[in-house]
Amino acid sequence: MNPISYNYTPYSSYSYPYYSGRGLDVQNSYYEQPKESDSTSEQAAKTIGLAGLLQLLSVALQKGSSILSSKLAAGKEFTTPENVQRVADDMVSKNRLNVHIGYIDELNKAEYASRYGLGKSLDPVAKGQNAFFADKLRLAVAPKSKPSLILHELGHAINAKGKFTKLLQNSRRYAGYAPMALLFANGILSNKNDGKKTFIERNAGILGFCAFLPTIIEEGLASFRGVKAAKKVLNNPAGLKILKKNYALALGTYILAGIGLGVASKQTVLLDGKN
Ligand SMILES: [Zn+2]
């Protein structure tokens, strides 16, 4: 789960196999294969080693991400809710944002959910575990207990108004398909008989990470806009440091997710290469 996301799709529902268990699949498929020449088994042994490493890395990334998330959840607010609102008002008026801002708690979540047709999406927000901006609904919400997250969400609202930054924002929808897309492209491009690794086989990890890079950049930009506005409206350097730290933790979860997508891409392509 990610505390800061630009829409109300929970981060954890993204479709790439963050914990795919594919490393084990590779191992199984190897043992079921008939004995081949020595060099092929050597190659297979290397692949199993790599698959195991990737699986370990995938688990470590999940662990790291949940550590960052809980640190962020435990993070202090950098200023009072009234000051946050002053900064938010400044962002709205300077950028002519047509966005309703909601601070969600257990008391008002049902009313918001029915007004915007949000189902259960506000439950984690009320609990202080998520915040989001929904462009189509013209709505930005943050937990009442963590109002400062709204400045990041308004950063997304500003990004949604720019052509290029909107493109970055939309890329997130497709990033999760990177492993399957690479697999598909590799199927078209590879020549299984020549024994050489294709460009995609060699670079699946970095290519998968690159698919998530626009999302990481857009997230960073949303936070940057929030921090910039807070710096301008409030004269509170100590508080700003706290805000920056909280937003850095949030960005950290996205960087780890990008690495995770790279790992998942490598795993997917590696598995295919053994079949
Ligand atoms: Zn965000």
Side-chain angles (χ1 to χ4, degrees), residues 54-210:
L54 288 171
Q55 197 56 29
L56 274 178
L57 188 54
S58 173
V59 172
L61 286 168
Q62 283 174 68
K63 183 77 191 158
S65 186
S66 70
I67 290 172
L68 293 185
S69 291
S70 49
K71 275 195 174 177
L72 180 56
K76 284 189 287 184
E77 280 294 287
F78 81 106
T79 187
T80 63
E82 293 73 26
N83 279 341
V84 169
Q85 189 54 47
R86 278 173 57 207
V87 180
D89 287 343
D90 183 75
M91 291 176 85
V92 167
S93 68
K94 288 279 150 57
N95 298 283
R96 298 198 180 116
L97 300 179
N98 177 15
V99 176
H100 177 81
I101 293 171
Y103 300 103
I104 307 300
D105 63 8
E106 294 297 334
L107 297 173
N108 65 13
K109 71 173 184 186
E111 183 204 327
Y112 266 95
S114 75
R115 198 195 309 168
Y116 288 96
L118 286 169
K120 297 266 168 219
S121 320
L122 291 174
D123 288 2
V125 183
K127 290 196 183 93
Q129 297 164 338
N130 198 18
F132 62 75
F133 161 66
D135 196 12
K136 283 197 179 117
L137 301 176
R138 301 192 177 286
L139 176 69
V141 291
K144 198 168 237 170
S145 58
K146 291 198 170 297
S148 68
L149 295 180
I150 206 71
L151 305 180
H152 170 91
E153 300 310 325
L154 291 175
H156 281 306
I158 298 170
N159 287 346
K161 290 189 81 175
K163 257 190 194 153
F164 178 67
T165 44
K166 179 73 190 169
L167 206 66
L168 293 181
Q169 208 166 70
N170 285 341
S171 77
R172 169 185 317 228
R173 282 185 222 157
Y174 309 102
Y177 297 110
M180 293 322 288
L182 288 171
L183 194 63
F184 182 70
N186 197 42
I188 294 171
L189 300 175
S190 78
N191 179 358
K192 292 263 149 115
N193 299 324
D194 72 1
K196 284 185 199 147
K197 284 192 171 179
T198 63
F199 177 79
I200 289 177
E201 280 162 358
R202 279 182 280 119
N203 300 290
I206 193 78
L207 290 170
F209 177 78
C210 284

Side-chain angles (χ1 to χ4, degrees), residues 4-6 152-153 156 172 219 254:
I4 299 183
S5 58
Y6 97 97
H152 170 91
E153 300 310 325
H156 281 306
R172 169 185 317 228
E219 284 296 328
Y254 280 97

